Amino acid sequence: MNQEWMGPVASHMLSGLYVTLWVSLLTTLVATAIGVAVGALSASTTLWVKFVVRIYIDVFRGVPSLITLLFVFFALPHVGISTGPITASVLGLALWGGANIAETARGALKSISSHQTEAARALGMGKLDALVFAVMPQALRRFLPPYIGQLTVLIQASALTSVVGVTDLLGSARQMIERLAYVSNDAHAVEIYCGVLVVFFVICYPLTLLSDYLERRLRN
Amino acid sequence: MTPNFTNELLVLLDGLGRTLLVSGIGITLGMALGMLMGAARHARIPVLSQLIACYANLFRCTPLLVQVVMLYFALPDLGVKLSPFETSWLALGLWGAAYHTEIFRAGFGAVNPNEVLAARALGMSAPRAFLDITVPLGARAAIPAATTMAITQFRSSSFMIAVGYQELTYVANRMVADTFKVFQVFGIAALAYLIVSNVIAMASRRLEKAVAVPGLGAVK
């Protein structure tokens, strides 16, 4: 059996994997920043802030991630900002992921009794101090398990970047299959796509186990 | 401008129709498979139960987009050729089934075991008690989570752009590339996704109320 095709495919897909990891990392960071900030804002008592936060969360959670990605991809150049497809993808996915994380954060903060805030305020803490030092640490245990679950969703969503032409793991796999189909009569599509599945599984499965473990451990 | 706009709306509506069609089939297939596999998991049928757990983990820890692309581009190498339409509903169904399995397993598990013991004491066989007691009560308990998953499946039908199935995201993306009306076209598409998601959620809440068993704690 001829294994010669594997070498170039593996090295090209390794660079694709690097892009996938990079996009996943950036998306995670931006989405987490948006999610935590918006989630904290949802604890605000100002009516219009609550309203804007609600609209953002409901709209971006209710729309397919691919729509937000394509929207940012086309809208940025439309308003005169030219960025590469990777930046646009990260922004599009992070806006969507941020809404999901914000909803989790909102739920976690809401689950902490308002007496905690009142007690902290009575001890002389400012509003922000009460939120950051009294409520947030308690909300963390409710936040962490679903948050890690959402990270796996974000990592999987990074594959969507191939739709706008990013050579991520999936994009590089497709390129190699097209190339192999062109130079030989066997594209090895089954083996190559199975490789992509395995890589995602190896990354995401431990994270789901961690999420399940944390949920069991932090339940009480 | 106006006849042109009407024309574009019709094209988008046409895409929405295809989105609803594949989502409808995919959700039905996913729920049916999920219920069967959830029942097998609940009954802890040896070997089968473990195989189903593997199936669920494999499909949940890999991106739907990769599964879709694999069904369409790799299966022909194994002698199975699917059209974009067949790929779309099959991928949505198989992927959704993995989540619905866990949802229905949890639903069946939420049924008070005393109900089943009472049925057995009245002379029902174990399979009869499962079908007449556990399934109707467990399915009720599973309605909220199954609805959330159904809506996720509906939104994820946008991924079928990758195999060229002309659903809503596909036609919207194509239209934006042709007309540069980024905000209008994606705005309308996003609105359509939001409206349908909310209609599904509302219908599910009605169903939940309509089938609620009075005085039964498991169903609120």
Side-chain angles (χ1 to χ4, degrees):
Chain A
M1 184 135 154
N2 187 2
Q3 303 287 329
E4 254 173 37
W5 62 276
M6 275 185 172
V9 169
S11 75
H12 188 60
M13 282 174 67
L14 202 64
S15 61
L17 173 62
Y18 176 73
V19 174
T20 289
L21 292 176
W22 181 233
V23 168
S24 302
L25 180 71
L26 285 179
T27 309
T28 300
L29 290 178
V30 181
T32 305
I34 295 176
V36 171
V38 173
L41 277 177
S42 74
S44 157
T45 45
T46 319
L47 212 59
W48 70 268
V49 174
K50 274 182 115 79
F51 182 71
V52 171
V53 163
R54 200 64 255 165
I55 294 280
Y56 166 70
I57 292 179
D58 283 350
V59 167
F60 278 88
R61 277 184 77 223
V63 161
S65 46
L66 189 54
I67 285 275
T68 67
L69 193 159
L70 289 170
F71 172 72
V72 173
F73 181 74
F74 283 107
L76 282 184
H78 201 71
V79 296
I81 305 168
S82 58
T83 53
I86 290 188
T87 315
S89 302
V90 167
L91 265 180
L93 290 177
L95 276 175
W96 172 80
N100 282 291
I101 294 173
E103 179 66 4
T104 309
R106 196 184 68 92
L109 287 174
K110 226 178 146 186
S111 73
I112 305 302
S113 160
S114 62
H115 297 161
Q116 297 290 327
T117 314
E118 284 156 20
R121 299 277 286 139
L123 288 171
M125 280 184 171
K127 266 187 188 170
L128 191 64
D129 278 0
L131 180 67
V132 174
F133 296 111
V135 179
M136 277 186 166
Q138 301 184 66
L140 191 65
R141 53 171 54 210
R142 302 267 173 122
F143 173 74
L144 221 46
Y147 170 71
I148 292 171
Q150 267 151 11
L151 292 191
T152 66
V153 176
L154 275 182
I155 292 168
Q156 293 183 17
S158 75
L160 293 174
T161 58
S162 65
V163 174
V164 295
V166 174
T167 312
D168 69 333
L169 186 60
L170 180 58
S172 66
R174 291 188 75 158
Q175 284 174 1
M176 288 325 278
I177 288 166
E178 272 165 31
R179 213 185 90 88
L180 284 171
Y182 185 71
V183 298
S184 69
N185 51 12
D186 189 358
H188 297 283
V190 178
E191 297 97 313
I192 292 177
Y193 282 132
C194 278
V196 176
L197 286 180
V198 167
V199 171
F200 273 106
F201 187 82
V202 165
I203 299 171
C204 292
Y205 186 57
L207 280 176
T208 59
L209 289 183
L210 176 66
S211 168
D212 290 349
Y213 167 76
L214 284 179
E215 192 175 334
R216 258 179 283 127
R217 236 201 86 184
L218 300 176
R219 192 169 285 158
N220 35 18
Chain B
M1 194 71 204
T2 317
N4 205 356
F5 182 66
T6 320
N7 218 348
E8 284 168 356
L9 260 187
L10 282 177
V11 173
L12 287 175
L13 264 179
D14 202 39
L16 178 62
R18 288 202 194 81
T19 290
L20 290 174
L21 181 64
V22 283
S23 310
I25 304 175
I27 291 169
T28 311
L29 178 67
M31 279 192 180
L33 281 176
M35 231 184 202
L36 286 175
M37 295 197 291
R41 291 272 285 144
H42 176 77
R44 295 172 193 232
I45 301 171
V47 186
L48 186 62
S49 186
Q50 281 79 10
L51 282 176
I52 293 170
C54 286
Y55 170 89
N57 279 328
L58 188 69
F59 275 78
R60 288 190 305 168
C61 292
T62 55
L64 171 61
L65 189 68
V66 180
Q67 296 165 18
V68 173
V69 168
M70 195 166 171
L71 277 183
Y72 190 68
F73 292 103
L75 272 194
D77 286 7
L78 303 173
V80 185
K81 190 140 178 43
L82 298 172
S83 70
F85 171 66
E86 289 160 344
T87 308
S88 299
W89 61 256
L90 188 63
L92 272 183
L94 293 178
W95 175 73
Y99 288 85
H100 284 301
T101 297
E102 293 305 307
I103 290 168
F104 281 107
R105 186 182 69 112
F108 297 147
V111 175
N112 187 339
N114 290 338
E115 307 265 0
V116 180
L117 287 179
R120 300 279 283 133
L122 287 172
M124 279 191 188
S125 65
R128 194 77 334 245
F130 179 75
L131 285 177
D132 285 352
I133 308 295
T134 310
V135 169
L137 293 179
R140 281 175 169 82
I143 290 176
T147 306
T148 308
M149 188 54 211
I151 293 174
T152 305
Q153 281 178 286
F154 160 69
R155 273 189 232 124
S156 303
S157 66
S158 62
F159 295 6
M160 305 315 157
I161 193 176
V163 293
Y165 183 66
Q166 304 193 355
E167 40 67 56
L168 182 56
T169 302
Y170 180 97
V171 293
N173 184 48
R174 195 64 181 274
M175 196 177 283
V176 168
D178 288 345
T179 64
F180 298 107
K181 292 180 186 163
V182 183
F183 296 93
Q184 298 93 314
V185 173
F186 282 135
I188 291 171
L191 196 65
Y193 280 111
L194 282 174
I195 290 173
V196 176
S197 300
N198 280 303
V199 167
I200 299 175
M202 254 168 12
S204 150
R205 275 196 294 271
R206 282 220 168 163
L207 174 72
E208 210 186 334
K209 260 193 204 137
V211 300
V213 180
L216 193 77
V219 183
K220 272 181 241 129

